[in-house]
Amino acid sequence: MNMPDFRDLNVFLTGGAGFIGSHTVDELLKLGARVVCLDNFDPYYDRAEKVGNLEFCSTDPRFELIEGDIRDSVLLRHTLRRTKPNIIVHLAARAGVRPSLQDPAGYADVNVQGTAVLLEAAREEGIRDFVFASSSSVYGNQGGGPLAESLPTDTPLSPYGATKKAGEVLCHSYHHVYGMSVACLRFFTVYGPRQRPDLAIRKFVRLALDGEPIPFFGDGSSRRDYTHISDILTGILGAIRWARTSEPRYGIFNLGSAHPISLSELVNMIERSVGQPVQRQMLPLQPGDVFQTYADTSLAEAELGFRHEIEFEDGLREFVRWMIEKRSSES
């Protein structure tokens, strides 16, 4: 796809020091945008890692980092009034299915209340364009073929999935009542350099490189639609363009590879990528886990120009190289 020119774009981006957020910041700056990034550096994982994620943009004069919380309405209103963004890209959230089982109220506070506070600050400051990071977790356990955005999403299996569904509904209400233009992006298991330490691919590769057993849940037939970060970025950039129209609109879009990989296939590929046998620690299926995620991306392809270009085994080999280089630089 042709690279857009975003030199007229002033973006307020939440969660910009995280995995997806920092890549989005880099890409927006590369395309000429100005980016104001809000991040609270939640201690869920090492602050130094998040600081490192912003290494390449921290000296760019078009970049500003603000440390703060999306639930702080005073900070949000002051920052939006001062920086005057023309679009908000909302990526900040408490993330992860399994951790949400231990702290459902905390997840609701950040993901639902925080989104409501941000939407209201945007409304008060006259910002009508909004991109919201949702999740494939909203679908719950729906088997069979690829999941289309038109399927019912009233039965997510985890508090995390429920908070993302709630965020989509909040966004729709602000579109309907206040005329905001909102694109909700349902991410399907994003991986790549800078991935969070708790996510499966990074955790499994670390264990494999250390010669330790990989947790193997169930019989290995569960499948995930792993999506490379560079493909996700085409969807985010497309959503920014989509939201910035003369007439307000609301849309939900799947961003995935549309090629699910089973747990057994994943571990076999990790073995090939690290070049050594991998031990498997057999464990039962976990509460909150779905059997399969499988994206129908036809709507995102038609409306956002989204494309899946990185084949999984190629992306996995790249990720293993990144992990080895990262570990070498830290030793």
XYZ file of all heavy atoms in Angstrom, residues 274-319:
371
model
N 14.775 -21.825 17.166
C 15.878 -21.716 18.134
C 16.948 -22.769 17.884
O 18.048 -22.688 18.441
C 15.377 -21.814 19.592
C 14.353 -20.715 19.879
C 14.794 -23.188 19.897
N 16.632 -23.762 17.059
C 17.633 -24.760 16.678
C 17.971 -25.766 17.752
O 19.087 -26.308 17.763
N 17.011 -26.043 18.656
C 17.258 -27.045 19.691
C 15.927 -27.604 20.179
O 14.888 -26.942 20.054
C 18.028 -26.440 20.872
C 17.310 -25.308 21.590
C 18.224 -24.581 22.561
O 19.362 -24.247 22.242
N 17.725 -24.336 23.771
N 15.916 -28.833 20.722
C 14.663 -29.431 21.181
C 14.037 -28.622 22.316
O 14.730 -27.968 23.094
C 15.099 -30.828 21.679
C 16.416 -31.068 21.040
C 17.068 -29.735 20.874
N 12.727 -28.679 22.377
C 11.975 -27.948 23.395
C 11.202 -28.942 24.247
O 10.511 -29.822 23.727
C 11.009 -26.945 22.738
C 10.032 -26.385 23.756
C 11.776 -25.806 22.074
N 11.317 -28.817 25.558
C 10.531 -29.644 26.476
C 9.126 -29.059 26.614
O 8.939 -27.849 26.564
C 11.192 -29.679 27.847
C 12.627 -30.176 27.859
C 13.223 -30.046 29.251
O 12.714 -30.619 30.213
N 14.293 -29.280 29.359
N 8.151 -29.947 26.795
C 6.764 -29.524 26.956
C 6.268 -29.925 28.343
O 6.325 -31.102 28.703
C 5.892 -30.160 25.867
C 6.205 -29.658 24.462
C 5.792 -30.674 23.421
N 6.005 -30.214 22.061
C 7.194 -30.204 21.444
N 8.276 -30.626 22.088
N 7.307 -29.789 20.197
N 5.773 -28.960 29.099
C 5.184 -29.217 30.409
C 3.679 -29.328 30.245
O 2.980 -28.339 30.028
C 5.536 -28.088 31.390
C 4.958 -28.298 32.781
C 5.189 -27.099 33.688
O 5.641 -26.046 33.236
N 4.878 -27.250 34.964
N 3.140 -30.526 30.291
C 1.733 -30.774 30.000
C 0.856 -30.242 31.138
O 1.044 -30.585 32.305
C 1.479 -32.268 29.794
C 2.435 -32.920 28.796
S 2.481 -32.085 27.170
C 0.844 -32.456 26.560
N -0.122 -29.401 30.778
C -1.001 -28.757 31.758
C -2.437 -28.763 31.238
O -2.671 -28.827 30.022
C -0.560 -27.307 31.996
C 0.826 -27.102 32.625
C 1.238 -25.640 32.509
C 0.803 -27.532 34.088
N -3.427 -28.672 32.134
C -4.827 -28.602 31.676
C -5.129 -27.244 31.050
O -4.389 -26.267 31.249
C -5.628 -28.802 32.964
C -4.712 -28.340 34.049
C -3.309 -28.696 33.599
N -6.204 -27.183 30.276
C -6.661 -25.909 29.734
C -6.950 -24.938 30.870
O -7.371 -25.337 31.964
C -7.909 -26.119 28.884
C -7.703 -26.875 27.559
C -9.055 -27.175 26.920
C -6.827 -26.078 26.611
N -6.751 -23.641 30.606
C -6.890 -22.612 31.631
C -8.250 -21.914 31.552
O -8.773 -21.702 30.454
C -5.786 -21.571 31.468
C -4.380 -22.145 31.579
C -4.088 -22.672 32.958
O -3.953 -21.918 33.899
N -4.005 -23.987 33.089
N -8.828 -21.534 32.711
C -10.081 -20.773 32.691
C -9.906 -19.469 31.901
O -8.878 -18.808 31.995
C -10.343 -20.478 34.173
C -9.542 -21.496 34.919
C -8.348 -21.794 34.074
N -10.928 -19.115 31.146
C -10.893 -17.870 30.377
C -10.324 -18.013 28.985
O -10.515 -17.139 28.134
N -9.592 -19.112 28.722
C -9.012 -19.318 27.396
C -10.081 -19.790 26.412
O -10.939 -20.613 26.755
C -7.892 -20.360 27.449
C -6.582 -19.781 27.932
O -6.519 -18.560 28.158
O -5.617 -20.548 28.089
N -10.025 -19.291 25.189
C -10.903 -19.781 24.136
C -10.159 -20.839 23.328
O -8.919 -20.876 23.312
C -11.382 -18.637 23.220
C -12.140 -17.600 24.033
C -10.222 -17.986 22.480
N -10.901 -21.704 22.637
C -10.248 -22.757 21.879
C -9.562 -22.197 20.633
O -8.456 -22.613 20.272
C -11.256 -23.839 21.466
C -10.661 -24.876 20.562
C -9.783 -25.830 21.064
C -10.939 -24.887 19.199
C -9.198 -26.774 20.231
C -10.378 -25.825 18.360
C -9.498 -26.780 18.883
N -10.193 -21.233 19.979
C -9.659 -20.751 18.706
C -9.961 -19.270 18.502
O -11.038 -18.804 18.855
C -10.284 -21.544 17.554
C -9.958 -21.006 16.163
C -10.570 -21.838 15.073
O -9.958 -22.800 14.615
N -11.784 -21.509 14.633
N -8.998 -18.540 17.947
C -9.268 -17.217 17.397
C -8.924 -17.250 15.914
O -7.892 -17.812 15.525
C -8.463 -16.110 18.109
O -7.055 -16.369 17.956
C -8.800 -16.066 19.592
N -9.791 -16.678 15.103
C -9.667 -16.819 13.650
C -10.394 -15.635 13.025
O -11.610 -15.568 13.030
C -10.276 -18.156 13.223
C -10.157 -18.548 11.765
C -10.678 -19.770 11.337
C -9.560 -17.738 10.810
C -10.590 -20.180 10.015
C -9.463 -18.117 9.488
C -9.992 -19.348 9.093
O -9.913 -19.726 7.775
N -9.647 -14.694 12.483
C -10.221 -13.431 12.028
C -10.700 -13.496 10.583
O -9.990 -13.972 9.701
C -9.189 -12.311 12.155
N -11.894 -12.985 10.365
C -12.337 -12.618 9.021
C -11.939 -11.152 8.836
O -12.477 -10.273 9.501
C -13.853 -12.791 8.917
C -14.421 -12.375 7.556
O -13.723 -11.643 6.809
O -15.557 -12.759 7.245
N -10.990 -10.905 7.968
C -10.446 -9.546 7.814
C -10.948 -8.841 6.560
O -10.414 -7.798 6.175
C -8.906 -9.585 7.790
O -8.470 -10.395 6.693
C -8.348 -10.146 9.093
N -11.975 -9.385 5.919
C -12.418 -8.814 4.638
C -12.902 -7.376 4.794
O -12.669 -6.536 3.908
C -13.511 -9.690 4.021
O -14.581 -9.899 4.929
N -13.559 -7.057 5.916
C -14.046 -5.691 6.107
C -12.879 -4.721 6.274
O -12.861 -3.632 5.671
C -14.969 -5.627 7.323
C -15.622 -4.269 7.597
C -16.520 -3.864 6.439
C -16.429 -4.321 8.904
N -11.885 -5.084 7.091
C -10.717 -4.215 7.284
C -9.939 -4.052 5.982
O -9.393 -2.972 5.705
C -9.807 -4.782 8.370
N -9.871 -5.101 5.182
C -9.183 -4.995 3.890
C -9.896 -4.012 2.978
O -9.266 -3.182 2.319
C -9.103 -6.375 3.242
C -8.173 -7.341 3.966
C -8.316 -8.767 3.468
O -8.852 -8.958 2.355
O -7.902 -9.691 4.189
N -11.230 -4.078 2.948
C -12.004 -3.204 2.062
C -12.044 -1.765 2.544
O -11.929 -0.827 1.737
C -13.429 -3.750 1.934
N -12.191 -1.563 3.859
C -12.403 -0.214 4.385
C -11.117 0.491 4.827
O -11.007 1.716 4.712
C -13.365 -0.279 5.578
C -14.759 -0.750 5.232
C -15.552 0.305 4.468
O -15.349 1.511 4.732
O -16.354 -0.076 3.606
N -10.166 -0.276 5.344
C -8.955 0.330 5.926
C -7.707 0.119 5.071
O -6.659 0.692 5.371
C -8.683 -0.254 7.322
C -9.825 -0.247 8.336
C -9.335 -0.782 9.680
C -10.424 1.141 8.487
N -7.802 -0.715 4.046
C -6.601 -1.064 3.292
C -5.694 -2.009 4.046
O -4.496 -2.114 3.747
N -6.242 -2.714 5.041
C -5.451 -3.650 5.843
C -4.965 -4.808 4.977
O -5.686 -5.313 4.120
C -6.300 -4.179 6.997
C -5.644 -5.277 7.785
C -4.588 -5.005 8.633
C -6.086 -6.588 7.671
C -3.979 -6.019 9.361
C -5.489 -7.611 8.391
C -4.436 -7.323 9.233
N -3.729 -5.232 5.228
C -3.166 -6.379 4.528
C -2.355 -7.230 5.500
O -1.613 -6.701 6.327
C -2.247 -5.932 3.384
C -2.948 -5.225 2.228
C -3.862 -6.172 1.453
N -4.510 -5.507 0.340
C -5.691 -4.891 0.405
N -6.347 -4.862 1.559
N -6.215 -4.312 -0.643
N -2.520 -8.542 5.371
C -1.656 -9.481 6.100
C -0.533 -9.894 5.159
O -0.775 -10.539 4.132
C -2.449 -10.708 6.544
C -1.593 -11.863 6.932
N -0.658 -11.781 7.944
C -1.499 -13.111 6.421
C -0.040 -12.943 8.045
N -0.533 -13.773 7.136
N 0.698 -9.502 5.492
C 1.828 -9.753 4.601
C 2.924 -10.610 5.227
O 3.711 -11.214 4.518
C 2.428 -8.422 4.124
C 1.445 -7.612 3.274
C 2.045 -6.314 2.773
O 3.038 -5.843 3.370
O 1.500 -5.763 1.796
N 3.024 -10.646 6.553
C 4.106 -11.376 7.221
C 3.637 -12.791 7.563
O 2.755 -12.970 8.412
C 4.567 -10.655 8.511
C 4.900 -9.187 8.225
C 5.759 -11.384 9.122
C 6.047 -8.993 7.260
N 4.202 -13.789 6.878
C 3.878 -15.175 7.209
C 4.425 -15.503 8.594
O 5.499 -15.044 8.982
C 4.451 -16.118 6.166
C 3.834 -15.942 4.778
C 2.325 -16.129 4.781
O 1.838 -17.023 5.514
O 1.626 -15.370 4.086
N 3.675 -16.345 9.321
C 3.989 -16.521 10.734
C 5.396 -17.058 10.970
O 6.118 -16.543 11.837
C 2.969 -17.432 11.413
C 3.262 -17.634 12.867
C 3.169 -16.580 13.758
C 3.692 -18.858 13.348
C 3.464 -16.744 15.106
C 3.991 -19.043 14.692
C 3.881 -17.983 15.561
N 5.819 -18.060 10.250
C 7.139 -18.636 10.533
C 8.249 -17.632 10.237
O 9.261 -17.590 10.945
C 7.357 -19.934 9.768
C 8.542 -20.721 10.296
C 8.421 -22.227 10.121
O 7.544 -22.679 9.377
O 9.221 -22.943 10.753
N 8.056 -16.777 9.221
C 9.031 -15.714 8.955
C 9.069 -14.719 10.112
O 10.141 -14.303 10.568
C 8.677 -14.976 7.657
C 8.798 -15.866 6.422
O 9.576 -16.847 6.468
O 8.103 -15.581 5.438
N 7.883 -14.319 10.585
C 7.823 -13.385 11.696
C 8.386 -13.970 12.973
O 9.020 -13.267 13.766
N 8.188 -15.271 13.174
C 8.722 -15.924 14.365
C 10.248 -15.954 14.334
O 10.902 -15.698 15.346
C 8.160 -17.343 14.482
C 8.615 -18.146 15.698
C 8.198 -17.471 16.994
C 8.064 -19.573 15.633
N 10.818 -16.264 13.168
C 12.286 -16.261 13.057
C 12.844 -14.877 13.347
O 13.861 -14.740 14.043
C 12.713 -16.730 11.658
C 12.671 -18.236 11.482
C 13.391 -18.650 10.212
N 12.732 -18.137 9.026
C 11.829 -18.823 8.320
N 11.489 -20.049 8.687
N 11.266 -18.297 7.246
N 12.188 -13.833 12.852
C 12.613 -12.458 13.132
C 12.545 -12.182 14.626
O 13.444 -11.560 15.203
C 11.717 -11.473 12.375
C 11.994 -10.012 12.697
C 10.762 -9.135 12.585
O 9.681 -9.533 13.087
O 10.893 -8.048 12.026
N 11.464 -12.665 15.262
C 11.293 -12.425 16.685
C 12.374 -13.128 17.501
O 12.915 -12.551 18.457
C 9.908 -12.899 17.144
C 9.664 -12.662 18.605
C 9.353 -11.395 19.069
C 9.773 -13.695 19.518
C 9.149 -11.170 20.419
C 9.574 -13.473 20.871
C 9.262 -12.207 21.320
